[in-house]
Amino acid sequence: CVHRMSRDEPLPAISYEDWDTAEKKKEEEAENERKKVKKAQDDQRRLEKERLRKEAKRDSDNDNDDDDSDEEIMKELQKQNLRGYKKTSDGKTTSYFNHEQTAEGKALIGDITPKRLESGGDCSTVRSSAAESAWNTAGTWEERDTTEWCTEALRKRLLSTKVTTPGVTAPSVGYTGS
């Protein structure tokens, strides 16, 4: 409305519903035009592929030595259709995340087959103290009963603590042990 008024056009004001309907119609027409263009492009690509295939077939008919050209073109077309997938050496179709080792890679890695461990091998355990477990050769932390040490340390610290408050005197308490 404002745009029309600014141009001093003698057109009557339209309602929102009428404007919305006109806009939707414009959008539908634009979408239909895009679809027509896309369809025309797809048809053109399809016709080009068919032309190439016919041309390759005609060339292969003229030259009998090259029987694989039609097959090669078909394989190329199939590769284009297999986006995100690939063919393995045994002909299976798989995703690109699948990895096949090459002969060079296998030679580089060498023999990786599991080997049986001999029982009675060198499995000696070194124990630095009787409190450690047989499996703990690295001396890492193990849960131990430290109740006796904790109780003694707590008693000493509590008894050595003094509290001073102005106006109050507390008798000193001595600890003689349990």
Side-chain angles (χ1 to χ4, degrees):
C1 282
V2 175
H3 183 65
R4 287 182 178 184
M5 293 168 128
S6 68
R7 290 187 287 168
D8 293 327
E9 292 180 5
L11 297 173
I14 60 172
S15 67
Y16 173 75
E17 289 79 17
D18 293 340
W19 175 83
D20 191 38
T21 304
E23 288 297 313
K24 286 182 181 177
K25 186 176 180 181
K26 286 179 189 176
E27 289 175 5
E28 286 177 9
E29 288 172 359
E31 181 66 27
N32 288 339
E33 186 63 30
R34 280 192 294 267
K35 286 180 181 178
K36 285 179 185 177
V37 169
K38 183 171 177 20
K39 186 176 184 313
Q41 289 173 346
D42 290 345
D43 289 343
Q44 186 176 359
R45 274 191 229 117
R46 184 179 47 80
L47 290 173
E48 182 66 22
K49 285 181 184 179
E50 287 178 16
R51 185 187 65 77
L52 288 173
R53 192 176 326 136
K54 287 178 182 177
E55 187 178 300
K57 184 171 176 97
R58 193 171 346 120
D59 289 345
S60 67
D61 289 343
N62 292 339
D63 186 19
N64 291 333
D65 295 338
D66 189 18
D67 291 335
D68 296 335
S69 63
D70 191 33
E71 291 177 16
E72 289 175 12
I73 291 173
M74 291 303 293
K75 286 181 182 179
E76 187 65 33
L77 289 173
Q78 286 176 350
K79 283 182 184 178
Q80 291 174 357
N81 292 334
L82 287 175
R83 293 185 185 131
Y85 295 93
K86 65 179 180 179
K87 294 279 187 181
T88 59
S89 60
D90 59 355
K92 293 181 182 176
T93 303
T94 184
S95 69
Y96 278 106
F97 298 107
N98 190 14
H99 176 70
E100 288 185 81
Q101 277 188 337
T102 61
E104 181 182 316
K106 288 178 184 176
L108 182 64
I109 293 173
D111 185 22
I112 58 170
T113 57
K115 293 177 179 56
R116 186 177 220 50
L117 292 177
E118 299 294 328
S119 61
D122 187 15
C123 293
S124 62
T125 58
V126 178
R127 296 180 66 178
S128 60
S129 70
E132 291 182 357
S133 300
W135 58 267
N136 190 9
T137 58
T140 58
W141 173 259
E142 291 185 34
E143 292 292 325
R144 297 183 182 103
D145 184 15
T146 58
T147 307
E148 187 178 320
W149 177 86
C150 290
T151 305
E152 186 62 31
L154 186 60
R155 277 190 187 139
K156 284 181 184 178
R157 294 202 184 218
L158 286 175
L159 289 174
S160 67
T161 305
K162 295 184 181 185
V163 177
T164 56
T165 306
V168 177
T169 58
S172 66
V173 179
Y175 174 65
T176 59
S178 43

